[in-house]
C-alpha cells in the first residue's frame, strides 16, 4: 500500500507562505494604486483640473496644514484649490509608501518662478486619498502666499 502524503506541519507552512505572498502582492497593488493617486494629485494642480483631483479623493477626505485643521473637500476646494492657478509644476523629491500611508517631499514651482518645498503625509482608502497633511517648508509656504 502506498503511503499518503499527510504532513499537517507542512500544510501549515504552505498555507502561511501563501498568505504572506498574497499579502505582499496585495501591498504591491496598493502601493501602485496609491503612487498613481499621488502623481495624479499633483498632476491635477499642474493641469488645473478639479475633476481629475476630485476623482481621486475618497469620501470623507480631509486636508490639514498649519493654516487648516482637517477641512473637508468643499472647504478645500474653496480655500486651497485656487493655488493651482499659481502652480507651474511639482518635482517629487522623495516618495515613501507603506501600505495605505505615504510621505512625499517635493519642490513646487510657482508661475512666477518661485520655489516652495513641502512634505505631505497621505492616507488612502480603496486607492483614493482619504487625508493629506501638509507641512510647509522654507521659502514660499504656499503658492497664494503674498509675503515676500
Amino acid at each position: 500500500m502506498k503511503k499518503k502524503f499527510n504532513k499537517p506541519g507542512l500544510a501549515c507552512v504552505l498555507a502561511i507562505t501563501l498568505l504572506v505572498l498574497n499579502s505582499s502582492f496585495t501591498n504591491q497593488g496598493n502601493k501602485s494604486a496609491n503612487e498613481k493617486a499621488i502623481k495624479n494629485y499633483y498632476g491635477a494642480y499642474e493641469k488645473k483640473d478639479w475633476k481629475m483631483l476630485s476623482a481621486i479623493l475618497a469620501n470623507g477626505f480631509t486636508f490639514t496644514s498649519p493654516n487648516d485643521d482637517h477641512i473637508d473637500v468643499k472647504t478645500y476646494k474653496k480655500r486651497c484649490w485656487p493655488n493651482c492657478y499659481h502652480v507651474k509644476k511639482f518635482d517629487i523629491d522623495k516618495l515613501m509608501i507603506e501600505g495605505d500611508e505615504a510621505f512625499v517631499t517635493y519642490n513646487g514651482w510657482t508661475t512666477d518662478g518661485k520655489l516652495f518645498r513641502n512634505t505631505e503625509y497621505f492616507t488612502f482608502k480603496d486607492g483614493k486619498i482619504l487625508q493629506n497633511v501638509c507641512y510647509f517648508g522654507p521659502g514660499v509656504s504656499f503658492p497664494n502666499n503674498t509675503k515676500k
Side-chain angles (χ1 to χ4, degrees), residues 6-48:
N6 191 6
K7 303 253 182 202
L10 188 58
C12 286
V13 169
L14 181 60
I16 290 170
T17 301
L18 290 173
L19 284 172
V20 168
L21 285 174
N22 185 43
S23 173
S24 179
F25 288 128
T26 300
N27 283 340
Q28 288 292 54
N30 286 349
K31 183 176 181 179
S32 177
N34 294 343
E35 183 174 351
K36 183 178 178 183
I38 287 170
K39 289 182 177 181
N40 285 342
Y41 182 88
Y42 297 114
Y45 270 85
E46 291 173 344
K47 294 175 182 176
K48 285 81 172 128

Side-chain angles (χ1 to χ4, degrees), residues 50 71-83:
W50 175 255
I71 60 175
D72 64 12
V73 72
K74 182 179 177 184
T75 306
Y76 176 80
K77 183 177 183 184
K78 180 179 177 184
R79 191 179 299 168
C80 303
W81 180 246
N83 285 318

Side-chain angles (χ1 to χ4, degrees), residues 33-35 37-38 58 97 99-102 122-131:
N34 294 343
E35 183 174 351
I38 287 170
I97 301 173
D100 282 334
E101 298 177 291
F122 291 90
T123 59
F124 301 89
K125 182 178 179 185
D126 301 325
K128 292 188 173 194
I129 299 169
L130 181 61
Q131 173 184 235

